[in-house]
Amino acid sequence: MYSGALRDKIHKLKYEGIPGWAMIFGRLLVGWMESHPEAMHGVDYVVGNPTHTGRQPLQHIEAIMDAAYTEDVTRAFPLSPPGGHRLVKHAETARSANRTLDEKRAAAAAHAAALTWTGDTGDIKGATILLVDDVFTSGSQLQHVARRLRATGAVEVRGLVLARVPWGG
C-alpha cells in the first residue's frame, strides 16, 4: 500500500533523489522475482516504465532497474544492464500527480506515445514483458504503456509495482 513509511521512502528516491532507496527497491524487485517463479515463467524482458532522461533529481525507475540488475548476480532474470534500457522515454510529458482521472488518462496516453523500444524490433515480436513501476494509482499509465508494447509486437505485458494508492473516497 502506498502509505506510511513506504510512501515516504518512494518520495525520498523520486523527489529528493536519495539513491540508496533505489538499491533497496532493486533488491526487493529481485527478491520478488526469486520468490515468484510461476509469475516469471515465460517472461522475456523485465523493463521499467521509464522516466524522461531530463527527470530531476534523477531517473528513479531507471535507478531501480539498474540496482536490480546489479543485485541479480547470477543473471537469472532478463534485466537490461545499466545504460542499456530497452524502453526509453524520449520526451517530457505532463505529470499525472494530483490530477483528475481524465487528466491522468490524457497524461498516460501522452507518456506511452513518448516511449521507444530501443532493442531490435524483432526482439519484441512475440515477447512477454514484465513492466515495472513504482506507484499504481488509476492503472491508466500501465494500461497505455502495455497497449503501446503490444502494438509494437509484444504478446503479453504483465505489470508489477512497488505500491498501490489506496482506493476509495
Side-chain angles (χ1 to χ4, degrees):
M1 193 64 62
Y2 185 61
S3 61
L6 181 57
R7 181 183 182 278
D8 178 58
K9 301 322 179 232
I10 290 171
H11 273 238
K12 292 216 179 282
L13 172 63
K14 193 171 184 172
Y15 300 114
E16 296 177 32
I18 300 175
W21 289 108
M23 293 185 302
I24 293 167
F25 294 141
R27 178 64 215 142
L28 285 173
L29 173 57
V30 170
W32 184 90
M33 292 188 295
E34 290 170 343
S35 64
H36 292 84
E38 71 288 350
M40 291 303 298
H41 181 74
V43 171
D44 298 298
Y45 301 103
V46 178
V47 299
N49 184 14
T51 52
H52 183 253
T53 55
R55 169 79 187 226
Q56 295 298 320
L58 80 157
Q59 289 181 271
H60 63 289
I61 298 298
E62 288 78 0
I64 292 168
M65 299 308 294
D66 289 351
Y69 181 87
T70 300
E71 289 293 324
D72 181 23
V73 295
T74 64
R75 300 292 166 252
F77 304 107
L79 294 155
S80 297
H85 301 282
R86 291 195 175 267
L87 191 60
V88 297
K89 186 172 181 183
H90 57 79
E92 185 62 46
T93 57
R95 296 201 179 168
S96 62
N98 304 313
R99 304 282 188 217
T100 67
L101 184 56
D102 286 340
E103 291 169 332
K104 284 181 182 296
R105 288 180 179 146
H111 170 79
L115 302 181
T116 302
W117 183 260
T118 63
D120 180 349
T121 54
D123 290 350
I124 197 172
K125 301 289 186 217
T128 295
I129 297 171
L130 178 64
L131 180 63
V132 178
D133 208 348
D134 57 345
V135 179
F136 179 99
T137 304
S138 68
S140 290
Q141 198 166 94
L142 281 176
Q143 181 181 40
H144 281 277
V145 173
R147 283 183 185 154
R148 172 85 180 207
L149 291 169
R150 286 193 311 269
T152 307
V155 293
E156 183 179 358
V157 179
R158 303 172 188 173
L160 179 64
V161 295
L162 293 172
R164 75 166 175 83
V165 172
W167 295 334

